[in-house]
Amino acid sequence: MRLYESGMLKDRIREAVSILKRCELCPRRCGVDRTSGEMGFCKSGMNPIVSSYNPHFGEERPLVGYGGSGTIFFTNCSMACVFCQNYPISQLGEGNPYTIDQLAEMISHFDIQE
Ligand code: SF4
């Protein structure tokens, strides 16, 4: 909200979209244009694919607090660890596509306490 109120949020959005045009968001540095439908190693386009989201109580106490850690399980992790405990989500892409507005809605439902 502070970014939005300061007017800087639009600049951040523009910057993020420009990175997606030649994606170097992770060390794979595929260089694909995700804004035009190209996909790199992570098989992800413009919109997120999410497997589940919820207040998560399974982490360490300092992370969980009183309302949960607010977990969003994104699919298609670019690290591709062979021992991943969430393989169907991280490598097989089990999840559903969401719009950016829907993702914002998910995040805003978590009770963030500063
Ligand atoms: S794996 Fe995905 S996030 Fe990483 S650089 Fe390639 S397209 Fe971008």
Side-chain angles (χ1 to χ4, degrees), residues 17-37:
V17 170
S18 79
I19 292 171
L20 288 175
K21 286 180 184 291
R22 198 175 186 295
C23 191
E24 293 187 343
L25 278 179
C26 83
R28 298 268 180 201
R29 296 188 169 179
C30 299
V32 296
D33 181 358
R34 291 172 57 176
T35 66
S36 70

Side-chain angles (χ1 to χ4, degrees), residues 17-87:
V17 170
S18 79
I19 292 171
L20 288 175
K21 286 180 184 291
R22 198 175 186 295
C23 191
E24 293 187 343
L25 278 179
C26 83
R28 298 268 180 201
R29 296 188 169 179
C30 299
V32 296
D33 181 358
R34 291 172 57 176
T35 66
S36 70
E38 287 183 330
M39 291 182 191
F41 182 88
C42 67
K43 302 178 287 270
S44 298
M46 275 291 283
N47 290 330
I49 303 171
V50 172
S51 177
S52 65
Y53 58 99
N54 49 53
H56 185 38
F57 293 90
E59 303 292 353
E60 291 79 3
R61 182 83 174 121
L63 299 175
V64 168
Y66 297 102
S69 62
T71 300
I72 299 175
F73 282 92
F74 292 99
T75 65
N76 298 331
C77 176
S78 62
M79 292 184 69
C81 305
V82 293
F83 48 80
C84 181
Q85 65 177 358
N86 293 320
Y87 188 83

Side-chain angles (χ1 to χ4, degrees), residues 77-105:
C77 176
S78 62
M79 292 184 69
C81 305
V82 293
F83 48 80
C84 181
Q85 65 177 358
N86 293 320
Y87 188 83
I89 299 168
S90 69
Q91 300 307 303
L92 301 182
E94 281 188 8
N96 296 303
Y98 288 86
T99 65
I100 301 299
D101 287 346
Q102 289 171 318
L103 179 62
E105 188 76 14

